[in-house]
Amino acid sequence: MPETTIRPGHMEISDLIVAEVGKSFVGNDTAIRKILFTLLAGGHVLLEDLPGVGKTTLAMAFSKVLKLSCHRIQFTPDIMPADVTGFTMLRQDTQAMEYRAGAVMCNLLLADEINRASTRTQSALLEAMEENAVTVDGVTHALPQPFMVIATQNPSGSSGTQLLPESQTDRFMMRLSLGYPDEKAELEMLLRKHGEGEAEPVVRLTSAAGLLEMRRQVSEIYVAKAIYRYILRLVRATRSHESVAQGASPRGSVALMALSQASAYVAGRDFVIPEDVQGIYTDCIAHRLILKAQAKHDGVSPESVLTDILDSTEAPHLRLK
């Protein structure tokens, strides 16, 4: 283990980002912080929530604070893959084929109600998320960097929705639910709508280049071998749990490690501790599990399974110099 180093600069800029985003999105700093973890870890977020709880506001606030280009696409059954990836067309003046960018060509894409789109359109977006590029008529176009998707889906059973296949939900590094705001936060929203209690203007704290540098620093956060083994035990335990039909894939292990590094970075540390892993374990892994039919019938949830695994898995004791 290297010498313990505290980096107040990391913690300070992270706290400022959370505070600035919180000027627009009121009442859920925990969700803001976890989305920041995912952004720093180079992943994508799936928000599963009811309409009207501020998902669009949250995404737009991140784009302003971090000075990122942002597009929003409202998914409906008639949205085509080309609307996402772009298309080529013949220019009459030059008789040459020209690429016209789709919604995905930005730093931060809000994919609203992704589970209302057709499976072809969903696949086009998720392929772009995985490859950081789109291929149109045989030509590959790289996406701007950094690139992140904040996708939303209505709860299963809502009219006009279809569940994302497990292979696609696995592409999201984290799944969150914003939930309803508490009374104080909702009151603040009402006051702002009527011109009272206005927040200060949102301040831009960094840029796309600055965020890429932060990502590089996150990737260099030290992970002890004991933490690697702890992450593996937590993920592999999902594959043998009595209530689980299909556990988390190795992609889940990689995501959990990257998010743990981001958590340490935001806390001002240059090394990961077990609490970093524990704090994002459920949000990172729950959407990757498929429960057995009997477990669902008995009211078991993925979250309760992961709580059980956390409680029964001993955390390592690190020796800090």
Side-chain angles (χ1 to χ4, degrees), residues 29 69 93 98 124 134 136 154 179 181-182 191 204 206 208 211 223-224 226 228 243 284 292 305:
D29 285 357
S69 60
D93 55 346
E98 181 179 79
V134 295
V136 180
N154 294 331
D182 60 26
L191 291 173
R204 292 180 173 179
T206 186
L211 183 56
V223 183
Y228 280 116
S243 298
C284 177
K292 294 178 180 177
V305 168

Side-chain angles (χ1 to χ4, degrees), residues 200-211:
E200 298 174 10
V202 172
V203 177
R204 292 180 173 179
L205 295 175
T206 186
S207 62
L211 183 56

Side-chain angles (χ1 to χ4, degrees), residues 46-53 55 72 74-77 111-117 122 151-164 169 175-177:
L46 179 63
L47 299 178
E48 186 175 80
D49 244 315
L50 297 168
V53 295
K55 300 182 291 291
R72 175 181 178 271
Q74 176 66 53
F75 281 100
T76 58
D112 227 347
E113 297 186 299
I114 188 174
N115 57 338
R116 289 190 185 278
Q122 291 173 2
T152 73
Q153 68 172 357
N154 294 331
S156 58
S158 297
S159 176
T161 64
Q162 53 185 340
L163 288 174
L164 290 177
T169 56
R175 183 185 68 182
L176 296 172
S177 177

Side-chain angles (χ1 to χ4, degrees), residues 264-321:
Y265 180 89
V266 170
R269 281 180 277 102
D270 60 0
F271 60 93
V272 175
I273 60 175
E275 287 78 3
D276 292 316
V277 182
Q278 295 160 0
I280 43 83
Y281 176 59
T282 299
D283 298 310
C284 177
I285 301 298
H287 62 289
R288 306 173 195 272
L289 305 186
I290 300 177
L291 300 183
K292 294 178 180 177
Q294 185 61 48
K296 294 180 183 178
H297 181 269
D298 294 340
V300 176
S301 67
E303 290 76 13
S304 64
V305 168
L306 296 176
T307 298
D308 179 46
I309 291 173
L310 267 180
D311 291 343
S312 59
T313 304
E314 184 179 0
H317 300 285
L318 301 181
R319 294 178 59 186
L320 305 181
K321 294 182 181 179

Side-chain angles (χ1 to χ4, degrees), residues 170 235 238-239 247-254 288:
D170 195 43
V235 173
T238 65
R239 304 170 194 168
S249 69
R251 185 185 279 124
S253 304
V254 173
R288 306 173 195 272

Side-chain angles (χ1 to χ4, degrees), residues 4 9 22 24 28-29 40 45 65 67 70 85 136 145 170 174 191 203 208 237 240 269 284 301:
T4 302
S24 298
N28 198 334
D29 285 357
L40 293 174
V45 174
V65 172
K67 203 176 181 180
C70 182
T85 62
V136 180
Q145 293 300 314
D170 195 43
M174 184 179 285
L191 291 173
V203 177
S240 57
R269 281 180 277 102
C284 177
S301 67

